[in-house]
Amino acid sequence: MVDPRPGQGLRVPDVESEMRSIGEMARDSGLGVSALRFYDRAGVLVPARVDPASGYRWYAPEQLDEARVLARLRRAGMPLADIRLVLAGWSGADPALVRRLLQAHLRRLEAGLTEARIEFSTLRALLDHRENPMTASPRTDTVRLSLGSTELAGAIDAVRFAVGKDPELPMLGGVLFDVDGDTLHVVATDRYRMAVARMASGSDPASASASDPASAGHGGPREQVVVPAPLVDAMRALLGGDEPAGFAVETDRVTLDAGERQVSGQRLAHDFPDYRRLVQLPAGRRVVVDVPALREALETGPVRTAEAGEPGPSARDVSVLATTDDGTVTVVGDGDADGNSVGVDRGFLLDALAAADRDRLVLEFGAAPTAPLAIRRTDDEGTFSLLMPVRLDH
């Protein structure tokens, strides 16, 4: 545009002021910054302008509508090839094609849902058969243990952060006490993270009385008891002294004695997932990290926002971890991530570092970025946590 007023010269319009930055487009469209970069590289939603010096992307006002359509199609799980065609016809060039594509995808979703219902019905029948076999072995519902108060407090602290809160999965709303011989495993998971602590179930044999020698350990078959989170918190409040703690299960009731104090409540009437299968992971890259330094890097380093449709809670910050050639773990931005980088929920990782309660820990990266990240103590391999990664390809 030329300013006709004499003496004013030419006025060049500020093109960028009329456009949306990639951050503004992400905020207004529902697509994350990394998703917009992905769809740019895929040629699906190409920015109207890219700064030749900085590479920064700018979007025209009319592209916001396309981005919002793209976000909806993505949430509906439409394949990328179909999304490309829908956007090509969205402007009005071929609305009939858009309708056919939407209807075809809806039919695929309905067919997939029908197949899923059939498979789930079969799985439920198989589960009913497993839970009610023709010859069920009797279950022992009495457990009595004498445990070190400090050790049990530490085990609870190591796993409590991973207890689930989903009302649709009540079996994850507590802590599993898995007694097997002389070993007690304390376990919690919310699907996206799992924490396991191991301790000796007869850690204070001196506390066993002559009339009840079994109180120093569990001599019966393996027993698993899921203790609801509120009762776990009440138990933890009693622990930490020098006196031993008495843990007992009588049918459906759980009791903890610590000195002259006692807390009791109902166990959860649900079976816990077989966590032993979930923690059997192939060996990965193990890196010893300085926890205070890593915590500072997580709190001050770059983050990205979890995308809609990614597994895990919504509205969460994701940190991208990379390892250097010398074994150092760094927190990097999207532009510095490579095929070996791992995205994790930043809050989850900070919780896991705090629960591990060590200044030095081992981070074990899986063979692929989709494998869980393990956080292990250097002095106790039996106490660890696993975090499910967040996809970085969108």
Side-chain angles (χ1 to χ4, degrees), residues 30-313:
L31 291 170
V33 170
S34 60
L36 288 169
R37 293 190 182 118
F38 170 80
Y39 289 118
D40 175 18
R41 294 191 297 268
V44 176
L45 185 63
V46 179
R49 181 175 181 269
V50 178
D51 188 293
S54 66
Y56 204 82
R57 297 164 171 85
W58 296 92
Y59 293 83
E62 61 270 17
Q63 289 186 291
L64 176 59
D65 186 41
E66 293 184 13
R68 287 172 172 169
V69 171
L70 174 53
R72 291 182 181 276
L73 297 176
R74 185 169 182 261
R75 288 194 293 269
M78 179 173 279
L80 188 60
D82 288 355
I83 289 178
R84 191 190 307 272
L85 292 177
V86 169
L87 291 182
W90 185 258
S91 62
D94 195 351
L97 172 62
V98 173
R99 293 184 185 278
R100 287 196 298 271
L101 288 168
L102 295 178
Q103 188 61 37
H105 183 59
L106 183 58
R107 284 196 297 268
R108 284 196 299 268
L109 292 177
E110 290 172 342
L113 180 58
T114 299
E115 294 175 0
R117 282 174 172 159
I118 293 173
E119 297 296 344
F120 275 42
S121 177
T122 302
L123 288 171
R124 281 194 293 264
L126 292 172
L127 283 172
D128 290 342
H129 178 72
R130 290 171 63 89
E131 291 173 350
N132 301 286
M134 296 299 293
T135 55
S137 57
R139 177 179 176 179
T140 303
D141 281 323
T142 301
V143 177
R144 295 184 184 278
L145 301 175
S146 181
L147 304 167
S149 181
T150 301
E151 290 79 1
L152 180 56
I156 292 175
D157 290 343
V159 306
R160 178 62 179 86
F161 74 98
V163 172
K165 298 179 181 178
D166 189 343
E168 297 294 327
L169 298 170
M171 72 290 294
L172 305 184
V175 173
L176 172 69
F177 285 72
D178 180 14
V179 187
D180 191 4
D182 293 330
T183 302
L184 169 65
H185 284 95
V186 183
V187 188
T189 182
D190 63 0
R191 291 181 293 163
Y192 310 113
R193 49 188 172 174
M194 173 178 287
V196 179
R198 181 181 63 190
M199 61 180 295
S201 65
S203 58
D204 190 4
S207 66
S209 65
S211 60
D212 186 14
S215 65
H218 179 61
R222 182 185 181 197
E223 289 292 336
Q224 294 185 309
V225 180
V226 184
V227 182
L231 181 55
V232 171
D233 293 338
M235 292 166 55
R236 175 62 182 87
L238 300 187
L239 298 171
D242 295 332
E243 71 279 359
F247 179 82
V249 181
E250 296 282 353
T251 309
D252 61 351
R253 193 157 194 84
V254 180
T255 302
L256 182 78
D257 291 285
E260 298 180 353
R261 298 169 296 171
Q262 182 185 90
V263 64
S264 182
Q266 298 290 113
R267 66 194 287 181
L268 287 179
H270 302 285
D271 289 329
F272 201 83
D274 187 357
Y275 70 93
R276 295 178 301 178
R277 296 186 61 180
L278 300 176
V279 300
Q280 293 175 353
L281 304 175
R285 295 170 291 134
R286 295 168 64 95
V287 180
V288 178
V289 297
D290 178 80
V291 174
L294 177 58
R295 184 182 296 112
E296 180 179 0
L298 290 168
E299 292 173 343
T300 61
V303 294
R304 49 162 282 187
T305 302
E307 308 290 346
E310 287 181 349

